[in-house]
Amino acid sequence: MDNKKTCDSCGDASCSAKAKNQGENDQDFADRRRLQARLCRIQHKIVVLSGKGGVGKSTVAVNLATALALGGLRVGLLDVDIHGPSVPTMLGLEGATLKGTPGELLPVEFGGLKVMSIGFLLHNPDDAIIWRGPMKMGVIKQFLTDVNWGDLDYLIVDAPPGTGDEPLSLCQLIQPLDGAVIVTTPQKVAAIDVRKSISFCRQLNVPVLGVVENMSGFVCPKCGEVTQILPEGGGRKIAADMNVPFLGAIPLDQNIAQSGDSGKVFIYHASETPTGKIMQGVIDQITELEQTKKLDS
Ligand code: ADP
């Protein structure tokens, strides 16, 4: 891809950054073009969504991005989970110092992966983000516009949970998104939110790659017996009802929790375990569906 390509030299007449939107001021137009010029250098953009926090969205995003990078691809991982940025902890990058100049942030390199997290901007990881709505949108926009990823094959985006203003502005800013992965837990109350996430994607024309049911059964580390701690199958059922692919059921596995806490990525350190193989199967399906575009839209 041509590194020097800018909006002015680009021949894509259909690009939305070619012309000013109605009512758009000069600054917003310039910002949009700057963002678009950065996004143009990224071939595949996948967002990981969930109806609520704590279901394993960041876990899936981190493992997906790492697996792609391990496959030799140029991958960026963007953590915009404004209230709970857990990517730095999951990769052992807490306290990483950002490099760059005002208006140009450089992602932190982790093996072959480029990582940017809203958590890197917080001086103290214990700080709660209590910005009001419009401020949060402004931060998300500026954050996206300022990060210089260079040329990437994949950008994996860990979105804020839910279907409110924050994931909405994110999905509107990253255009076009090639697909969304929706992570849920099996019980009905969590899975109901999946419907909202799927309709959210449909309204925004983001193709749904499918639903991952995480924390689906507990595998006893001693005897291997699977116990259903949460009621079963909510994610699978909703995927079927809403006619989107079911990407797989990842069990509760203490190795995943330990990996997340210790900064040792599960798919790298435990790929040969039964759960590691399930995780890899989920990842393979995501990339296969995204590449062949056998998608819901
Ligand atoms: P979210 O991004 O949806 O808020 P996280 O990915 O941060 O959720 O996961 C929440 C917690 O659950 C983390 O401590 C993570 O390590 C743990 N976790 C996620 N998936 C599993 C799993 N399948 N088995 C065990 N622990 C898990």
Side-chain angles (χ1 to χ4, degrees):
M1 194 174 280
D2 180 2
N3 288 348
K4 300 203 173 56
K5 193 164 104 175
T6 65
C7 286
D8 292 320
S9 62
C10 171
D12 181 0
S14 65
C15 175
S16 61
K18 273 277 166 203
K20 234 175 168 179
N21 287 337
Q22 223 180 0
E24 190 172 43
N25 66 34
D26 289 346
Q27 183 60 53
D28 286 348
F29 182 45
D31 285 349
R32 195 159 60 81
R33 282 163 70 96
R34 209 153 66 87
L35 174 60
Q36 203 54 48
R38 296 210 195 279
L39 295 177
C40 272
R41 295 173 63 182
I42 303 171
Q43 288 187 23
H44 305 263
K45 298 175 268 299
I46 297 178
V47 65
V48 184
L49 298 169
S50 66
K52 53 178 76 185
V55 298
K57 171 178 53 61
S58 302
T59 303
V60 169
V62 163
N63 282 281
L64 171 61
T66 305
L68 291 169
L70 287 170
L73 296 164
R74 297 166 303 174
V75 185
L77 173 60
L78 175 66
D79 171 16
V80 204
D81 191 343
I82 202 154
H83 298 289
S86 39
V87 164
T89 307
M90 290 185 170
L91 295 178
L93 294 174
E94 293 136 312
T97 320
L98 282 184
K99 297 200 179 84
T101 49
E104 177 114 335
L105 292 171
L106 295 176
V108 174
E109 303 265 346
F110 178 76
L113 194 62
K114 290 183 174 180
V115 185
M116 182 54 82
S117 167
I118 207 118
F120 294 148
L121 304 179
L122 302 175
H123 297 301
N124 179 347
D126 297 333
D127 284 349
I129 300 187
I130 48 170
W131 299 316
R132 286 183 192 280
M135 219 170 146
K136 281 189 275 190
M137 301 326 136
V139 168
I140 290 175
K141 183 178 157 201
Q142 194 190 347
F143 188 54
L144 286 178
T145 312
D146 286 353
V147 184
N148 184 356
W149 297 99
D151 295 322
L152 290 182
D153 297 310
Y154 278 91
L155 179 67
I156 308 300
V157 186
D158 184 2
T163 49
D165 286 347
E166 296 150 29
L168 177 66
S169 15
L170 181 77
C171 294
Q172 284 173 333
L173 286 163
I174 305 185
Q175 284 293 332
L177 271 166
D178 297 288
V181 174
I182 299 166
V183 182
T184 185
T185 46
Q187 73 275 38
K188 208 169 161 189
V189 280
I192 284 170
D193 290 330
V194 174
R195 285 185 195 278
K196 291 189 199 157
S197 299
I198 294 172
S199 22
F200 171 87
C201 290
R202 287 182 172 154
Q203 280 172 40
L204 295 172
N205 289 324
V206 179
V208 178
L209 291 160
V211 174
V212 180
E213 189 175 287
N214 189 32
M215 308 187 184
S216 184
F218 168 72
V219 187
C220 172
K222 296 214 171 81
C223 68
E225 191 192 341
V226 179
T227 314
Q228 293 300 334
I229 293 179
L230 304 168
E232 265 182 278
R236 187 188 291 271
K237 181 168 185 319
I238 285 194
D241 288 353
M242 302 277 293
N243 202 20
V244 299
F246 181 67
L247 298 168
I250 303 171
L252 262 170
D253 185 320
Q254 63 177 14
N255 290 320
I256 296 187
Q258 279 163 5
S259 301
D261 279 355
S262 63
K264 293 185 177 151
V265 184
F266 178 74
I267 202 65
Y268 180 68
H269 291 278
S271 60
E272 290 308 315
T273 62
T275 310
K277 289 183 179 147
I278 293 173
M279 179 78 84
Q280 188 61 53
V282 168
I283 291 166
D284 291 345
Q285 270 210 78
I286 294 172
T287 46
E288 204 237 333
L289 281 166
E290 193 270 329
Q291 279 163 15
T292 54
K293 306 282 182 207
K294 287 187 270 177
L295 302 174
D296 164 84
S297 53

